[in-house]
Amino acid sequence: MDNILQIGDSFIEQNTIFSELIQELNQSFSNSNVIVPLRHHHDFPNPKVDSDSTLLLMPAWNPSKIAGVKIVTVSPENSQFDLPSIQGTYIYFDALKGSVKAIIEAKSLTVKRTAAASALASSYLSRKDSKSMLMIGTGALSINLIKAHVSVRPIENVYLWGRNINKAEAIAAELKNEKFNVYPIQSIEEKISEVDIVSCATLSKTPLVLGAYLKPGQHIDLVGAYRPTMREADDDTIKKTSVFIDTYQGGLKESGDIFIPLQSGVLKEKDIKADLFELCSNQKSGRKNNEEITLFKSVGHSLEDLTAATYYYNKFKNE
């Protein structure tokens, strides 16, 4: 037990280079020997805040090499305690011997790999000349999604909306020394029709991205709405876009953004263009032209966690 590495928030925050992490994910999705069972997803009552919380168990292993499992809780009402909604830990194993190699803080690992996966998708789906972005949501993912998207596209201006304008202003202040501009805005509608990329990471139960406001050539990145009863985009958005998902395994049933349109018949499974495995291995193509509106829905995948854990473990060992 003495040899188990402890990799915390501060190390992950200080040692993430999104271009590197995105490339690691690209390689993992394009040629992976990793076995990934369907994750365990358990909702449990939390009567003191009148809202369910969720326990997620996400295992993955590369036989005789490495393995890992992420144990995470999602508590949507944690803002009232001034705590992040996502908390947990990642246990990183030697898959040959079964010994624990490291315990990694899961919140930072999750937001980094989630943002990197969205940017990886964007590298296939957004226009290469994308210069503007609307970030919907001011949670832990927002800064990471902005930085990740900027690492793959020449984004100059970022517009940021959240239910609390003070949080948007604080994030803008935090990013004031970056090479791009960040502008807090009062409403989604004032910028959604103008930007090249729309990224949404919220716990909203009702759509925030409305198809009526979309324009040709945009890319929509949906990261929140992790339950079948939640959604960030309306049916009109689904009808107007070419839909891509991170994986068929979880993407078809874990989020209302895909599950609800599939159930109602607005979307057919055969109409989903590709997942990240197919995009990264060049089995299927991404954006076809500059007029197409593309949509990527992410629910997260244990392959991303294991890839990120390996990335941070190797950095920690080599520092």
Side-chain angles (χ1 to χ4, degrees), residues 151-172:
S151 76
V152 298
R153 291 294 183 253
I155 295 170
E156 299 172 354
N157 296 310
V158 177
Y159 303 94
L160 178 59
W161 178 88
R163 299 188 191 279
N164 184 336
I165 188 67
N166 294 330
K167 288 185 178 180
E169 290 171 346
I171 290 171

Side-chain angles (χ1 to χ4, degrees), residues 58-315:
M58 302 175 68
W61 54 86
N62 191 339
S64 296
K65 294 183 179 180
I66 55 172
V69 60
K70 187 169 74 174
I71 306 169
V72 168
T73 57
V74 184
S75 301
E77 302 301 318
N78 265 9
S79 58
Q80 64 186 274
F81 306 116
D82 198 26
L83 290 171
S85 59
I86 299 174
Q87 299 189 75
T89 193
Y90 193 90
I91 306 174
Y92 188 62
F93 295 93
D94 178 324
L96 176 63
K97 303 171 186 175
S99 55
V100 177
K101 295 162 72 75
I103 296 175
I104 305 171
E105 204 287 321
K107 174 179 164 288
S108 289
L109 180 143
T110 300
V111 296
K112 300 297 184 188
R113 65 80 155 150
T114 301
S118 280
L120 173 61
S122 180
S123 71
Y124 289 96
L125 301 177
S126 65
R127 295 197 329 270
K128 289 183 170 57
D129 64 348
S130 297
K131 290 184 170 60
S132 59
M133 173 181 177
L134 169 61
M135 182 70 238
I136 301 173
T138 53
L141 265 169
S142 58
I143 287 180
N144 292 283
L145 282 163
I146 291 168
K147 289 183 175 180
H149 278 288
V150 167
S151 76
V152 298
R153 291 294 183 253
I155 295 170
E156 299 172 354
N157 296 310
V158 177
Y159 303 94
L160 178 59
W161 178 88
R163 299 188 191 279
N164 184 336
I165 188 67
N166 294 330
K167 288 185 178 180
E169 290 171 346
I171 290 171
E174 188 172 342
L175 296 173
K176 66 181 180 180
N177 294 324
E178 299 291 339
K179 294 181 180 179
F180 51 89
N181 303 307
V182 182
Y183 304 100
I185 59 174
Q186 294 283 352
S187 70
I188 294 170
E189 290 77 13
E190 65 188 86
K191 285 296 176 183
I192 190 170
S193 298
E194 300 177 13
V195 297
D196 300 314
I197 296 172
V198 178
S199 184
C200 191
T202 72
L203 298 174
S204 180
K205 295 178 181 178
T206 57
L208 298 170
V209 178
L210 306 180
Y213 294 102
L214 301 185
K215 68 171 185 178
Q218 287 181 308
H219 172 60
I220 313 302
D221 172 42
L222 302 179
V223 185
Y226 65 96
R227 290 179 180 168
T229 55
M230 304 165 72
R231 63 188 306 188
E232 295 182 304
D234 65 355
D235 284 347
D236 197 21
T237 298
I238 299 298
K239 292 174 183 177
K240 285 187 172 183
T241 59
S242 298
V243 176
F244 298 79
I245 55 180
D246 52 358
T247 69
Y248 293 104
Q249 184 187 56
L252 297 179
K253 55 189 176 183
E254 291 196 17
S255 169
D257 281 314
I258 301 299
F259 178 76
I260 294 172
L262 283 174
Q263 292 296 107
S264 67
V266 167
L267 178 68
K268 299 285 194 295
E269 187 173 336
K270 65 180 177 61
D271 294 328
I272 296 173
K273 303 299 183 183
D275 70 357
L276 279 179
F277 287 102
E278 293 168 328
L279 288 174
C280 295
S281 62
N282 296 315
Q283 295 178 49
K284 293 185 179 178
S285 60
R287 171 176 289 275
K288 290 182 167 55
N289 57 64
N290 284 337
E291 297 300 302
E292 184 179 19
I293 306 175
T294 55
L295 181 148
F296 174 69
K297 175 59 200 173
S298 167
V299 297
H301 193 250
S302 298
L303 174 63
E304 298 165 13
D305 294 313
L306 187 61
T307 300
T310 303
Y311 172 74
Y312 293 116
Y313 177 82
N314 289 337
K315 285 209 163 195

Side-chain angles (χ1 to χ4, degrees), residues 39-43 54-57 226-228 254:
R39 68 184 178 184
H40 293 251
H41 186 131
H42 304 284
D43 294 332
T54 301
L55 174 68
L56 298 171
L57 305 175
Y226 65 96
R227 290 179 180 168
E254 291 196 17

